[in-house]
Amino acid sequence: MVLECIKNKKQSNIILFIFMAIFLAKGIFYAAYITPPSAGTAPDDIGHISYIQYVASEKKLPILFETSFENITTESHKSYYNFETINYKKFIVEDEQFDEKNGVNWIAQHPPLYYLLMSPIYLIAKLLTNKLYILIIILRLATIPFGIASIFVMSKIMDILKTKNIVRYCIFTSFVFSAPMQFYFSNITNDSLLIFICILTLYFLLKYTTEKHIKHFYLFVVCCALTVMTKY
């Protein structure tokens, strides 16, 4: 009986790893090849990218109705908007500049957690390249781990619920092969972090309700706070 349980657990872990590997491979393909690495190719990405650039360069948070978009990012957005997609490789980020003529960054309404996490990645990436399209790809790739972590935590939730394998694999398949989910986790958006934290919040809530350990309640509260710090 014990050997059978160990065998089933090992098989379950292998299948989990396969789903995570598929999601990673698809994510890299989406981030680098499916969606052109130009501002304006994903919902509100010009705002999200500019938010990250502002935090990284100015070392402070943007102000709603005051902080504008970054100049080069705005040019990239206009280029794509005018169907000049062939030009996305020409945009070079020297020193980030936020010109008021570009209009205000409405994404500044959102809490800063995602952008604070992405800013160090952006700064490190800028040490390697100043090409905007490569910086965009790197930030997209940095978002994929939130999706992989989401799959892992989902498996832990299903362990708590003692989910049958057929249901478990259907849930994994629905998540891993969902085009919208892959899109969220392969572009620059705080929705990726939000989805992960919400799943993690549910996990700690279930852990607390089933095991009654106070540490799980505290972690549930912390995750709730992180959710509020991620999306308005």
Side-chain angles (χ1 to χ4, degrees):
M1 187 68 176
V2 174
L3 291 175
E4 185 69 22
C5 289
I6 294 174
K7 181 180 178 181
N8 290 339
K9 185 65 175 176
K10 185 177 181 180
Q11 181 183 9
S12 179
N13 289 338
I14 291 173
I15 293 175
L16 171 62
F17 176 80
I18 291 173
F19 275 110
M20 292 168 67
I22 292 172
F23 190 86
L24 174 61
K26 286 173 72 256
I28 294 172
F29 188 68
Y30 267 70
Y33 299 106
I34 296 296
T35 310
S38 174
T41 57
D44 298 329
D45 64 352
I46 179 177
H48 294 300
I49 298 167
S50 290
Y51 197 136
I52 294 169
Q53 291 176 307
Y54 188 83
V55 173
S57 63
E58 301 298 316
K59 306 298 186 295
K60 60 183 179 181
L61 300 179
I63 300 174
L64 184 60
F65 304 131
E66 292 186 21
T67 304
S68 60
F69 295 104
E70 199 280 323
N71 286 359
I72 299 300
T73 299
T74 303
E75 289 183 28
S76 175
H77 175 262
K78 289 179 178 177
S79 174
Y80 185 79
Y81 186 79
N82 293 326
F83 304 103
E84 301 171 13
T85 54
I86 196 170
N87 294 328
Y88 67 78
K89 292 186 178 181
K90 76 176 185 180
F91 296 104
I92 305 298
V93 180
E94 299 290 347
D95 297 320
E96 290 83 354
Q97 297 180 19
F98 301 85
D99 196 322
E100 292 181 2
K101 70 182 181 183
N102 293 332
V104 295
N105 186 353
W106 65 89
I107 296 299
Q109 67 178 303
H110 288 300
L113 183 58
Y114 173 75
Y115 311 98
L116 290 172
L117 292 175
M118 290 293 114
S119 293
I121 296 171
Y122 176 79
L123 288 171
I124 293 171
K126 270 202 72 179
L127 296 175
L128 306 175
T129 181
N130 59 359
K131 295 181 178 179
L132 179 61
Y133 84 97
I134 297 179
L135 294 171
I136 288 175
I137 291 175
I138 291 172
L139 289 172
R140 288 176 178 177
L141 295 177
T143 302
I144 297 173
F146 295 135
I148 297 173
S150 296
I151 296 169
F152 179 78
V153 177
M154 284 165 57
S155 73
K156 295 299 182 182
I157 290 174
M158 288 185 276
D159 287 342
I160 295 173
L161 299 176
K162 296 180 171 56
T163 308
K164 292 183 178 179
N165 282 343
I166 183 64
V167 177
R168 179 185 295 261
Y169 301 150
C170 283
I171 292 173
F172 283 152
T173 300
S174 298
F175 188 94
V176 170
F177 293 98
S178 165
M181 281 296 177
Q182 192 72 71
F183 192 74
Y184 278 128
F185 289 105
S186 300
N187 281 294
I188 305 169
T189 168
N190 57 2
D191 291 307
S192 54
L193 181 60
L194 177 69
I195 293 170
F196 166 63
I197 294 178
C198 285
I199 294 172
L200 191 62
T201 302
L202 176 60
Y203 168 72
F204 285 121
L205 176 62
L206 291 173
K207 285 287 283 185
Y208 175 67
T209 55
T210 54
E211 298 181 9
K212 302 301 181 183
H213 292 163
I214 193 65
K215 68 177 182 179
H216 294 137
F217 175 75
Y218 291 147
L219 289 169
F220 163 71
V221 173
V222 168
C223 286
C224 287
L226 292 177
T227 301
V228 175
M229 290 297 296
T230 302
K231 187 85 173 181
Y232 175 71

